[in-house]
């Protein structure tokens, strides 16, 4: 991949703030004309720096404001077992994120549900039934202090 210059980084920063900005406005903000800006955007997409465009939604308004982080320990960490766990995790919509961790447990899950009761059902019926799970520990979020919308380059 080509190295990014300060104009490429400026384009990425502006798109992270508002991916719906017009190319004309984006070009103006980063100090380019429209055509060179479009060419850079296309290159950033083709090279995989821009993976896609998403809308951030208000989870409270959608009724899915309950967030818990779950530590998961497995009884087997061979490649086949990890693949089975990873594949099964991807099928559970309430699991928003899944990270393999180098710690005294194997995975950290971010789980989003409507409330504690629905979380308890997801934990008991889905997460605990995932392949090779031996133990889980739950940490309930009390307040979102910093989340994805603040993650800018």
């Amino acid at each position: 991949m080509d190295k990014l210059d300060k104009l490429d980084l400026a384009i990425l920063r502006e798109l992270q703030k508002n991916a719906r900005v017009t190319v004309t406005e984006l070009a103006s903000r980063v100090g380019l004309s429209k055509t060179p800006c479009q060419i850079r955007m296309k290159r950033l997409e083709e090279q995989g720096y821009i993976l896609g465009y998403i809308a951030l939604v208000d989870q409270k308004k959608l009724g899915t404001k309950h967030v818990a982080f779950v530590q998961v320990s497995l009884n087997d960490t061979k490649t086949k077992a990890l693949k089975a766990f990873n594949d099964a995790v991807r099928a559970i919509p309430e699991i928003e994120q899944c990270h393999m961790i180098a710690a005294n447990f194997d995975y950290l899950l971010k789980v989003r549900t409507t409330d504690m009761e629905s979380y308890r059902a997801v934990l008991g019926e889905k997460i605990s039934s995932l392949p090779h799970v031996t133990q889980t520990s739950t940490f309930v979020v009390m307040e979102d202090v910093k989340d994805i919308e603040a993650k800018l380059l």
Side-chain angles (χ1 to χ4, degrees):
M1 288 191 190
D2 295 329
K3 198 162 185 135
L4 299 181
D5 63 17
K6 67 182 192 175
L7 288 172
D8 293 327
L9 292 172
I11 289 169
L12 293 174
R13 267 192 303 276
E14 290 299 324
L15 289 173
Q16 283 183 297
K17 291 177 191 172
N18 180 6
R20 293 185 61 169
V21 66
T22 66
V23 176
T24 303
E25 178 62 26
L26 177 62
S28 173
R29 290 181 189 178
V30 301
L32 289 171
S33 60
K34 183 178 176 180
T35 300
C37 187
Q38 283 177 314
I39 291 168
R40 282 176 178 263
M41 284 179 62
K42 184 172 174 51
R43 180 177 48 80
L44 290 167
E45 291 169 357
E46 289 171 351
Q47 292 179 348
Y49 289 100
I50 297 174
L51 300 175
Y53 299 89
I54 63 169
L56 298 175
V57 298
D58 187 328
Q59 296 293 340
K60 290 178 185 174
K61 288 184 178 182
L62 292 174
T64 52
K65 63 183 180 181
H66 186 271
V67 176
F69 287 91
V70 185
Q71 290 180 352
V72 178
S73 297
L74 305 182
N75 62 11
D76 185 354
T77 55
K78 294 183 183 108
T79 301
K80 187 176 179 181
L82 296 176
K83 182 178 179 342
F85 179 84
N86 294 346
D87 290 345
V89 160
R90 289 183 187 103
I92 300 174
E94 294 88 355
I95 298 177
E96 196 170 90
Q97 296 178 13
C98 174
H99 304 276
M100 181 185 277
I101 302 292
N104 60 347
F105 59 97
D106 300 302
Y107 285 90
L108 183 64
L109 310 179
K110 180 180 179 185
V111 181
R112 184 176 296 278
T113 58
T114 57
D115 54 27
M116 182 59 82
E117 185 178 344
S118 63
Y119 168 73
R120 179 66 190 101
V122 169
L123 178 66
E125 297 167 17
K126 297 179 181 181
I127 295 172
S128 296
S129 299
L130 288 168
H132 307 286
V133 170
T134 58
Q135 183 178 355
T136 63
S137 295
T138 296
F139 302 88
V140 176
V141 172
M142 294 178 5
E143 178 183 3
D144 289 332
V145 176
K146 181 178 180 182
D147 207 344
I148 193 166
E149 65 270 7
K151 185 182 176 193
L152 301 175
L153 292 174

